[in-house]
Amino acid sequence: MAAHRLRQSVGRLFAMGPELGSGRRAFSAFQAFTEVLRLPSKQLTKLVFPLEELHEHFVPGSRPDLHLNIFHPSLEDIARAESFFTASARNRIEYLTSAVRLDHAPDLHRPEVCFIGRSNVGKSSLIKALFSLAPEVEVRVSKKPGHTKKLNFYKVGKYFTLVDMPGYGYRAPEDFVDMVETYLKERKNLMRTFLLVDSVVGIQKADNIAIEMCEEFALPYVMVLTKIDKPSKGHLLKQVLQIQKFVDTKTQGCFPQLFPVRFLMNLPCSVFMIFLLQPISTLDHIKL
């Protein structure tokens, strides 16, 4: 059903024309759509709507409490989000600077979103995938945990700043708590925090510390499940249900819908892009 809705909207997408951009920029940003839309429906649903694909494996008549459609962007929404992540002369996407403490961070007036998670959870891989339409932006990805040691700031056009936080847990920086806690607590233009959780192992003790900080500081945050292509379908389903129950019963500031991601194509990250932009679009001086 989800795949069918996605295909139905593709005609409206290309009919929008100039609203989404012009010339090569628009075409290059949407090439991934046409490639993905050629996939069989089952593969398309698995790739773009993995939670719905999992939902098919429940016993008929059971009603697991999965929030599948709270945030359900149209193809037009996805296309518009990708346009913000497509680098051009008028839409500069670039690395800005790094900081070891908040008082070293740049004094920026644009809204910010930050990414935080355990070492080796796939945080840098996700950010690299988000910047796949701006290949000149270098996001270093390492197989060794704890590669990111500083707060890394990236400019996304005139719209917002993306902040890559150091990983916690194994090989975390010695001053991790002071660095990250101060940023989360005091950064005035922080609009949303994306907390990455490894879908293979679920929420760990170290994750609970990050969750407690988000809750204590009343931050709006989103739980992102990474590595969903690693566990078996049964194990992934078990983890999703456990994490969904945790979000429903143990959190107040967490968005109720989980966001599972894999890094095979641009489109899954495109669904993620539009949600990333959602809180920013409410600001009066930003026109999305």
Side-chain angles (χ1 to χ4, degrees), residues 63-283:
R63 299 189 61 183
D65 194 17
L66 278 180
H67 307 296
L68 299 178
N69 296 306
I70 295 174
F71 179 76
H72 204 111
S74 67
L75 192 60
E76 292 91 337
D77 293 329
I78 296 170
R80 182 168 282 110
E82 278 218 342
S83 72
F84 293 120
F85 282 86
T86 303
S88 70
R90 299 181 62 184
N91 190 58
R92 296 186 62 182
I93 300 174
E94 58 188 347
Y95 163 78
L96 291 176
T97 188
S98 297
V100 294
R101 297 199 308 269
L102 182 59
D103 56 1
H104 290 178
D107 184 16
L108 303 172
H109 300 292
R110 286 185 298 271
E112 286 183 1
V113 295
C114 75
F115 288 71
I116 187 172
R118 282 195 310 118
S119 299
N120 205 33
V121 75
K123 179 167 52 64
S124 295
S125 296
L126 174 56
I127 294 173
K128 187 177 181 68
L130 286 171
F131 287 146
S132 62
L133 297 175
E136 67 280 4
V137 177
E138 182 180 0
V139 180
R140 296 184 62 187
V141 178
S142 174
K143 293 182 179 179
K144 295 182 179 179
H147 175 75
T148 305
K149 298 294 186 183
K150 301 178 181 179
L151 306 171
N152 297 319
F153 294 79
Y154 297 88
K155 175 185 177 182
V156 182
K158 63 182 179 181
Y159 305 106
F160 65 97
T161 303
L162 186 152
V163 185
D164 182 9
M165 311 284 278
Y168 50 80
Y170 180 66
R171 295 189 65 193
E174 293 182 2
D175 54 350
F176 172 84
V177 174
D178 291 337
M179 183 193 312
V180 172
E181 183 175 7
T182 304
Y183 173 86
L184 293 177
K185 183 178 182 180
E186 299 183 9
R187 194 65 166 175
K188 302 300 183 184
N189 53 337
L190 176 61
M191 300 296 296
R192 178 158 286 162
T193 298
F194 293 89
L195 198 159
L196 277 60
V197 174
D198 188 333
S199 66
V200 178
V201 299
I203 296 174
Q204 302 291 291
K205 289 183 179 179
D207 296 314
N208 278 317
I209 296 174
I211 292 169
E212 287 170 4
M213 284 195 290
C214 291
E215 292 287 332
E216 180 181 350
F217 305 145
L219 300 175
Y221 65 104
V222 180
M223 208 163 292
V224 181
L225 309 186
T226 64
K227 306 181 183 181
I228 64 170
D229 53 322
K230 302 296 184 184
S232 67
K233 197 163 292 184
H235 182 76
L236 177 60
L237 196 56
K238 179 181 177 181
Q239 292 288 6
V240 166
L241 290 174
Q242 288 179 346
I243 296 170
Q244 182 73 74
K245 183 178 180 180
F246 178 92
V247 169
D248 291 344
T249 60
K250 305 292 185 181
T251 71
Q252 293 183 331
C254 186
F255 189 78
Q257 182 172 324
L258 304 176
F259 280 77
V261 293
R262 56 165 63 89
F263 312 122
L264 301 178
M265 293 185 180
N266 288 340
L267 193 55
C269 283
S270 303
V271 176
F272 187 72
M273 285 173 183
I274 185 62
F275 185 77
L276 186 151
L277 292 169
Q278 187 190 40
I280 301 166
S281 65
T282 62
L283 300 181

